[in-house]
Amino acid sequence: MGHSAAVWDSRAAIEITKDWNGIDKVVLRNPRGASARVSLYGGQVTSWRNEQGEELLFTSSKAIFKPPKAVRGGIPICFPQFGNCGSLEQHGFARNKIWTIDENSPPLSPKDSQGKSFIDLLFKPSEEDLKCWPHSFEFRLRVSLAADGSLTLISRVRNVNGKPFSFSFAYHTYLSVSDISEVRIEGLETLDYLDNLCGKERFTEQGDAITFESEVDRVYLSAPNVVAVLDHERKRTYVIKKEGLPDVVVWNPWEKKSKAMADFGDDEYKQMLCVDGAAIAKPVTLKPGEEWTGRLELSAVPSTFCSENLDLQGRGF
Ligand code: BG6
């Protein structure tokens, strides 16, 4: 675990307490009052607030905070399988397991630590996990909050097995939005995508930015490293920067599917949008001893800032 330099009380930067379900949670704070909360259940980020205290991630009012179901909201980690393409449970088992705090995490580059509040978590498969997925790995997750309020997640998966293995992965990011019909995504225009609503058939995105008027469940392929989600009503733009994560999942369940989900309110689809940095279409393969890194940086900025300063071609990360 770590904290930013001495200009403010570092003891206040990280707090580890029990969540009401008895599982440890870590709260990260920055000097300007932004915060993030991470649960050791699933290594899941469950809250990210800006310096005004506004929640930037969606969590359902019907979310079930008890294992064995992942919490509906925040940023569940989908690993080692995305969705139902494989023999494992939907989105893999990592989001349903207890992670630990990693006191001896191998160092990351100084830019990933300096001036940030952060926590390092570790997930290693249990005997039970190895029965359904017989590949030994170490999954290290760093969650950090920068002085400007941006949230970074860095996943490192190491093969500590005698043989190669492959996996897919997603940061299943539930963004909080004012009203889904006022939201658009920029950066995915003209890309090919696999449509989960049409048996994963491949289509090409047409037209301008992506807007929403019905259920969407797509995997955009080879997406640029910067994507923006513009919330017109709130005049807020989420900037999503990614590395090592070629694909972007876009999901909104809309009305009918919302009603079918027990841990999701009937109308809550209006207030959320999942936009995930992911590695799905081409699973990652690791030889023995190899390590993969997948990095996601989220920031929320006033929409006026964006058009002038955003580099949506992905050069800026
Ligand atoms: C999305 C998938 O990422 O996650 C959807 O593309 C799925 O198909 C959704 O319905 C939610 O999954 P879950 O397992 O959290 O209900």
Side-chain angles (χ1 to χ4, degrees):
M1 84 186 88
H3 51 75
S4 62
V7 283
W8 68 298
D9 181 1
S10 61
R11 286 165 304 176
I14 296 160
E15 191 190 352
I16 302 170
T17 52
K18 293 259 176 250
D19 218 339
W20 63 268
N21 55 13
I23 297 169
D24 280 351
K25 67 171 178 194
V26 182
V27 178
L28 305 174
R29 293 195 177 83
N30 85 355
R32 297 187 199 154
S35 66
R37 192 174 64 224
V38 192
S39 172
L40 266 55
Y41 181 53
Q44 185 166 336
V45 174
T46 53
S47 167
W48 170 40
R49 288 180 187 269
N50 62 15
E51 49 192 86
Q52 287 77 40
E54 294 162 332
E55 180 58 62
L56 303 169
L57 297 176
F58 167 87
T59 298
S60 171
S61 61
K62 299 244 176 110
I64 300 160
F65 288 85
K66 259 200 316 216
K69 187 104 178 60
V71 173
R72 174 77 59 202
I75 313 182
I77 301 246
C78 305
F79 172 86
Q81 173 183 303
F82 178 78
N84 57 6
C85 4
S87 57
L88 301 177
E89 62 201 82
Q90 159 101 342
H91 290 331
F93 47 75
R95 64 178 181 163
N96 294 321
K97 301 292 169 173
I98 302 289
W99 294 46
T100 56
I101 292 174
D102 189 9
E103 301 285 358
N104 295 304
S105 183
L108 283 157
S109 87
K111 77 172 169 45
D112 292 318
S113 312
Q114 281 164 7
K116 295 181 173 175
S117 308
F118 63 86
I119 187 80
D120 288 307
L121 302 184
L122 175 63
F123 171 49
K124 290 188 195 179
S126 64
E127 291 295 316
E128 188 199 333
D129 301 330
L130 288 168
K131 276 187 207 149
C132 53
W133 204 66
H135 310 292
S136 276
F137 62 86
E138 291 172 352
F139 189 139
R140 293 194 157 78
L141 172 69
R142 171 168 295 188
V143 180
S144 63
L145 185 68
D148 66 0
S150 60
L151 180 74
T152 301
L153 284 80
I154 303 172
S155 286
R156 291 178 286 173
V157 177
R158 177 173 289 278
N159 182 344
V160 293
N161 205 32
K163 290 185 181 155
F165 63 71
S166 301
F167 63 87
S168 49
F169 177 92
Y171 290 113
H172 195 7
T173 309
Y174 285 78
L175 299 172
S176 166
V177 298
S178 58
D179 175 354
I180 187 68
S181 57
E182 298 286 329
V183 170
R184 68 175 203 267
I185 305 181
E186 290 186 1
L188 303 178
E189 312 80 38
T190 73
L191 295 186
D192 281 7
Y193 63 88
L194 306 179
D195 196 337
N196 283 328
L197 303 177
C198 298
K200 301 189 172 49
E201 201 179 325
R202 190 171 176 138
F203 295 96
T204 302
E205 187 60 60
Q206 310 285 343
D208 298 332
I210 293 154
T211 53
F212 299 88
E213 47 194 29
S214 59
E215 184 180 358
V216 172
D217 190 350
R218 298 175 182 171
V219 179
Y220 285 86
L221 306 172
S222 305
N225 280 338
V226 186
V227 169
V229 178
L230 288 81
D231 185 337
H232 184 65
E233 196 173 299
R234 238 175 234 156
K235 299 185 174 46
R236 174 188 292 155
T237 297
Y238 293 101
V239 182
I240 301 170
K241 298 182 180 177
K242 61 186 183 63
E243 232 176 53
L245 301 163
D247 306 322
V248 168
V249 179
V250 178
W251 180 60
N252 183 291
W254 219 255
E255 207 171 341
K256 194 164 154 222
K257 186 149 191 198
S258 296
K259 289 187 176 152
M261 291 191 287
D263 58 350
F264 196 84
D266 289 358
D267 285 331
E268 284 184 328
Y269 71 93
K270 294 176 185 165
Q271 274 99 53
M272 57 73 68
L273 177 63
C274 282
V275 183
D276 315 352
I280 296 169
K282 280 192 205 132
V284 178
T285 299
L286 290 178
K287 293 192 190 120
E290 277 185 345
E291 186 174 87
W292 165 87
T293 302
R295 208 186 141 92
L296 185 79
E297 185 189 306
L298 301 173
S299 44
V301 294
S303 291
T304 43
F305 170 86
C306 259
S307 41
E308 295 138 36
N309 296 287
L310 247 192
D311 171 10
L312 287 180
Q313 299 313 307
R315 292 185 294 269
F317 193 45

